[in-house]
Amino acid sequence: MAESRTSDTESADLEQFRNKTRAWLEANCPPEMRKPATSDADVFWGGRNAKFSSEPQRVWFERMRDKGWTVPDWPKEYGGGGLSAAEHKVLRAEMAKMGARPPLSSFGIWMLGPALLKYGNDAQKKEHLPKIAAGEIRWCQGYSEPNAGSDLASLQTRAESDGDDFIINGQKIWTSYANYADWIFCLVRTDPTAKKHDGISFILFDMTSKGVSTKPILLISGYSPFCETFFDNVRVPKSHVVGQINRGWDVAKYLLQHERAMISGMGERGVGRPLGQIAADTVGTDALGRLDDAMLRGQIARFDVDEAALAACAERAVDLAKAGQAHPAFSSAMKYYGTELNKRRYEILMSAGGVDALEWESERSKQGARPRAWLRTKANSIEGGTSEVMLGIVAKRILDLPGA
Amino acid sequence: MALVLTEEQSMLRDSARGLISDKAPVSHLRHLRDSKDPTGFSKELWHSFAEMGFAGLLVPEEFGGSGLGYVEAGVVMEEIGRTLMPSPFLATGVVAASALNRGGNAAQKSEYLPKIASGSLLAALAIDEGAKHRPLQTSLRAVRAGNGFKLSGAKALVVDGHVADLLIVAARTAGAAGEREGLTLFLVDSKAKGIAVERTVMVDAHNAARVEFANVEVNADSVLGEVDQAAGLLDSVLDIGRGAVASEMVGLSEEVFNRTVEYLKSRKQFGKLIGEFQALQHRAAELYIDIEITRAAVMKALQALDADVAKAASAVAVAKARAGTTSTRAVHEGVQMHGGMGMTDQFDIGFFMKRARVCEELFGDANYHTEQLARARGY
């Protein structure tokens, strides 16, 4: 097959980029940062009150930030690395190869950033994107309400016009890390008379604003990653609305696609030790080196097949998007499968761990890390849209099946 | 490499789809079946395939082929899967062409490859002996005799076995069933003395045969690759075949799925289109997701084969295992959602169910490949 000269040059350039990237990562990623984080405290989330849990964590973050590689594919003017899609894929592959963890975890990067890049005005992009890239501001997401879960568009938090400002009153729930966040991106009802999707606006404000309060929710895992968030006459300038007033649902949906893509990634974390080896620690192996529990071995092997296939599909989803061939609702398909798969992973881990995986408090069990993580995964198929909502979206938007 | 088809590959798909959907819709298979066609495929169509360069798609240009890769072969297989077209493409164009190209010496390549590319030679791989695909269990004996060998034993599920001019036979020249050492591949003229071929009409109405070898004499030149050392070559050829069959299964699954979704949008019960029922919507959505994930896994495997066949084993195992479970699910849902109509022979959907069952057995089923992945990962 005759390849064109341009694509030859392109692939040579990409190979050069790969070599340079690999060398840079080798020289700059501390050894401690070349393995997965083992606890939430081990993850760097940035923000005004951020503290590094270790010196290597600080070094790794600062080096990556200075290169723009906390957000490698964002434009350089907003603190990004300005990488092309192909270069970004190379960087991700090289980081995965050495097990390098992300230098910064952030809802600003995963969710708000993409929405601002598409819907934000110049002033908003200049104000917020560089602070996200530099990990200066930690964001939280004000979407769900006590009576607006799967039916998100029925949300009731209201924003009433008062001159150049909105006055916001209401309550959000399941706000991840609201108690640590500096700013919130929030869905509010700006027109209570319009049809439910049409009266919503997407607005940004500081969590230290007068009238904002948070209350952590204790979950079955014993952790409190989510809060209830209350707004009592919170005054926010109208200039903080992203996109048009009353057109916030478009922004919300676009952001949800990114959120779902992020959550689906949980099912294909091919990092750390393979399940088959973890299981061998507790169930043992036979003379041929096979797991001494044939049924569990079969479960793990089927899981591994599906995990490898999902990883290929995630890669293809990115490539399709680059090629302009992606269906906008495909992230719902990935979210469904990725979260169900992650739940399967933890069911297998619990089964493999047996009695050892039941300890909740001991030092030996790292304060019950495994059962708590297992319980945490049960939320994967609820948060960001339940599995049932995802299947409904696929049925209607991709398959075009009839009915409400 | 991006996991999407290039422009050239998309053009190849379009031209294959044009030819196949025009000349060989499912009614073509139905006609071959009902008329008990002795060949089991259309020779005329195979010549068109050759003229369009598909027969020699994997044959290097120096031997008259197109010199394309496994992704391209998968593109054609997927289109074959959409209409269930019986074609020598798999046995001759993919498996035999790869075996000869990878294992053949200069003389063997120049004798056979141009004939494959021109569509004038049909070949078949004779590997399985028992009810399940177990390549290392090969026990057909090849005993040294004079300057050559004598082959004795039997093979089953030889695709295109009753029409092949050339048989590529896996035999045991040393060691015992189950061992990697001692396997040898032979190129055997299907008309050679001592060969008895029984066409086995299978559930899917595609070609298959049982072939018996009673002291079949072959000379030393007929060895493909090295004596006793064929396991590696065989692994490669089988992995290529698996990638191709998995592609056929993706095409088949997607076609069943598309037909089923159309049915959900047209069939009314209880005064509603049945596609309005959430129970069916969710099952259709799950199946769609399954097919998309499997499609990606299969593309990944084909690209891995193109990059380095010897390193593609795990990707191929994932692809063939997924293709098995996904196509099984697709045809079950297809029949179930078509209700009573799905059970009739008059309706095409049953043809897909039958072909999926055969593809699942061909070159190892989902259990076999899941086991291979577990072994490769060392648990």
Side-chain angles (χ1 to χ4, degrees), chain B residues 212-278:
Chain B
E212 290 188 17
F213 299 78
N215 287 311
V216 176
E217 293 182 23
V218 294
N219 62 32
D221 294 343
S222 65
V223 172
L224 184 68
E226 301 291 319
V227 174
D228 290 346
Q229 305 297 322
L233 174 59
L234 198 53
D235 283 344
S236 299
V237 172
L238 287 171
D239 275 344
I240 291 163
R242 288 159 184 152
V245 175
S247 301
E248 179 177 350
M249 295 163 93
V250 168
L252 174 165
S253 302
E254 194 161 273
E255 180 64 22
V256 168
F257 178 69
N258 290 342
R259 288 173 184 230
T260 304
V261 168
E262 281 314 305
Y263 192 71
L264 295 180
K265 291 177 185 174
S266 60
R267 167 79 172 168
K268 278 192 168 177
Q269 287 288 278
F270 306 104
K272 283 181 177 179
L273 292 169
I274 60 173
E276 292 179 55
F277 294 111
Q278 197 176 48

Side-chain angles (χ1 to χ4, degrees), chain A residues 1-2 89 274-277 280 285 289-291 297-298 300-302 304-316 319-320 322-323 325 327 330 332-334 336-337 387-392 394-396 398-404, chain B residues 1-6 8-9 61 66-68 72 257 261 264-265 273-278 280-286 288-290 292-297 299-300 303 317-318 321-322 325 329 367 369-371 373-375 377-379:
Chain A
M1 229 178 0
K89 188 172 178 177
L275 279 184
Q277 286 179 25
T285 52
R290 296 179 200 170
L291 280 182
R297 178 171 179 268
I300 294 176
R302 277 191 284 275
D304 280 356
V305 165
D306 289 338
E307 183 189 48
L310 178 70
C313 196
E315 186 183 339
R316 178 167 149 81
D319 292 338
L320 281 170
K322 266 185 260 168
Q325 298 170 23
H327 193 290
F330 195 71
S332 295
M334 296 297 291
Y336 168 76
Y337 201 89
S387 282
E388 291 71 21
V389 168
M390 295 305 102
L391 292 175
V394 169
K396 276 153 205 138
I398 300 183
L399 306 182
D400 198 25
L401 285 168
Chain B
M1 178 157 317
L3 275 177
V4 287
L5 294 183
T6 63
E8 289 88 351
Q9 288 160 352
E61 284 171 297
S66 318
L68 295 174
E72 285 82 2
F257 178 69
V261 168
L264 295 180
K265 291 177 185 174
L273 292 169
I274 60 173
E276 292 179 55
F277 294 111
Q278 197 176 48
L280 297 185
Q281 289 189 344
H282 282 193
R283 273 162 55 189
E286 283 188 292
Y288 163 83
I289 295 165
D290 238 3
E292 284 302 310
I293 290 172
T294 297
R295 167 182 294 285
M299 279 187 98
K300 190 83 185 164
Q303 288 189 358
V318 167
R322 283 283 314 188
T325 50
R329 181 180 202 168
N367 285 339
H369 288 291
T370 305
E371 169 71 28
L373 188 71
R375 289 188 191 186
R377 295 198 172 179
Y379 58 85

